[in-house]
Amino acid sequence: MNIFNTKLELKAFLAEQKERAKSIGFVPTMGALHQGHLSLVKRAKEKNDLVVVSIFVNPTQFDSNEDLKKYPQTLKNDKELLESVACDVLFVPSVEEIYDNNISSEKFNFDGLEHEMEGKFREGHFDGVGTIVKALLEIVMPNTAYFGKKDFQQLQIVKKLAEKYDLPVKIKGRPIYRENDGLAMSSRNARLTKEHREIAPFIYKTLKKAKKKFGAKNIEELTKWVKKQFKKEPLLELEYFTIADEKTLQTPKKIEAKKKYRAFIAVFAGDIRLIDNVGLK
Ligand code: AMP
């Protein structure tokens, strides 16, 4: 695996590859890799001649300094995992390499997608995401970039970003990888206490039950029902449960057969914030 820390070296290497007409798949990450990340790398490997993974803990997308400071960093292990799936190129830039001396976000208009769900609770988060994803796509210039549906709102926003800026890249969304007990894999899971880790699968269990009830209960009733379930779990604090149209990310007034809907959730387990979502029929 070729490892680069600077844009210049990475771009020079990729320019050479592109001359040989190699198709490039790209997987941006913040490291502390798990099987969810690796599933994206494997998919990119299947579909492209060359796969680039980036590891960059992007300061501008964190709304809390504490969360940024505590974000797990496991670069040695990450490199081994990437070698194990035959990743071709790893890009690990420093904060200065990406931002110079100006660590700030561009302001984006994602046609309202940025104001729903995560946008309501994490100020500036999607400006930070937009800033880093645009920068990385412009550096790597991949044919296709792969994102997990674990961060479904982010996926839709990245699609909007590519469309608005006419970026010559296909954005692909991939399924959520879960632990055996159903908890969505996340780099933050490693920071859960033993007690919180044990109770955390309750989030997906509740989502699955809500999915079964969708249709029989209306959205308001279902939201009330979910809130009630979390009241019974003192170790978990529900931040939001929302049913939204997959395209607009807005809660529908009326369910339409032709549209796709999804249930989204954010929960605090102690000071660790976990998100998850499921598609609804
Ligand atoms: P992160 O390192 O958390 O920024 O995630 C990097 C990419 O991996 C994003 O596209 C995430 O949506 C994706 N990802 C994170 N967790 C999972 C998961 N459990 N299943 C599938 N994709 C994931």
Side-chain angles (χ1 to χ4, degrees):
M1 183 167 67
N2 292 283
I3 302 177
F4 299 102
N5 300 113
T6 67
K7 295 181 265 192
L8 215 65
E9 285 167 308
L10 174 69
K11 278 182 174 175
F13 177 84
L14 293 177
E16 222 176 86
Q17 300 296 318
K18 281 171 194 162
E19 258 174 35
R20 289 183 223 151
K22 296 252 180 201
S23 67
I24 295 177
F26 178 45
V27 181
T29 81
M30 298 205 297
L33 301 182
H34 50 65
Q35 291 302 319
H37 295 115
L38 296 187
S39 73
L40 299 176
V41 181
K42 287 180 201 160
R43 180 66 176 183
K45 257 322 264 192
E46 279 163 24
K47 296 283 181 184
N48 299 273
D49 299 317
L50 193 100
V51 173
V52 180
V53 171
S54 63
I55 293 182
F56 181 65
V57 181
N58 174 36
T60 62
Q61 74 187 70
F62 283 79
D63 47 326
S64 135
N65 238 333
E66 264 320 276
D67 193 24
L68 171 61
K69 268 196 272 168
K70 288 187 183 159
Y71 200 83
Q73 306 231 19
T74 58
L75 189 57
K76 188 166 170 283
N77 191 52
D78 291 350
K79 284 180 187 166
E80 285 168 14
L81 288 173
L82 290 172
E83 294 273 11
S84 78
V85 291
C87 171
D88 303 290
V89 176
L90 172 61
F91 180 44
V92 196
S94 65
V95 172
E96 296 74 47
E97 182 67 15
I98 295 293
Y99 286 103
D100 286 326
N101 290 322
N102 179 20
I103 306 177
S104 65
S105 302
E106 261 179 68
K107 296 275 172 266
F108 290 92
N109 173 349
F110 295 119
D111 295 344
L113 295 179
E114 72 276 30
H115 301 312
E116 304 300 325
M117 299 182 292
E118 294 295 283
K120 288 186 182 144
F121 293 92
R122 302 188 67 188
E123 223 202 306
H125 173 66
F126 288 118
D127 282 334
V129 168
T131 303
I132 188 61
V133 173
K134 183 162 161 273
L136 289 171
L137 289 175
E138 283 169 353
I139 295 166
V140 178
M141 294 202 288
N143 300 82
T144 311
Y146 299 84
F147 291 82
K149 291 186 184 175
K150 160 85 177 6
D151 304 280
F152 193 89
Q153 186 171 13
Q154 169 176 282
L155 166 67
Q156 299 302 61
I157 280 176
V158 171
K159 283 184 180 167
K160 182 70 78 180
L161 174 88
E163 185 190 304
K164 283 209 155 182
Y165 288 85
D166 241 335
L167 303 176
V169 59
K170 272 187 256 151
I171 305 296
K172 296 279 185 193
R174 302 292 302 158
I176 303 177
Y177 267 61
R178 299 181 178 281
E179 302 291 351
N180 288 335
D181 57 15
L183 176 65
M185 288 184 184
S186 163
S187 305
R188 288 188 173 86
N189 292 351
R191 289 183 48 220
L192 291 168
T193 63
K194 189 166 166 284
E195 273 180 316
H196 285 126
R197 176 62 190 84
E198 273 167 18
I199 193 65
F202 181 82
I203 300 167
Y204 182 53
K205 276 189 197 133
T206 309
L207 278 183
K208 276 199 300 190
K209 285 185 191 162
K211 178 180 173 135
K212 274 206 181 126
K213 291 177 188 291
F214 180 67
K217 281 185 190 290
N218 68 34
I219 291 180
E220 205 176 308
E221 288 165 345
L222 200 50
T223 308
K224 260 192 199 156
W225 180 83
V226 169
K227 281 184 182 163
K228 208 165 118 198
Q229 305 314 302
F230 277 90
K231 288 250 164 66
K232 294 185 220 158
E233 264 324 323
L235 284 174
L236 299 175
E237 194 195 323
L238 178 67
E239 187 170 55
Y240 66 77
F241 169 82
T242 305
I243 288 177
D245 180 316
E246 287 196 355
K247 278 244 157 65
T248 63
L249 301 183
Q250 289 184 12
T251 300
K253 294 209 168 60
K254 194 170 115 253
I255 300 298
E256 291 174 51
K258 273 189 275 167
K259 294 192 171 162
K260 284 191 179 163
Y261 301 99
R262 208 163 255 274
F264 297 86
I265 200 164
V267 173
F268 277 97
D271 57 358
I272 311 298
R273 189 171 180 278
L274 301 171
I275 58 168
D276 202 347
N277 64 80
V278 286
L280 299 170
K281 285 258 162 64

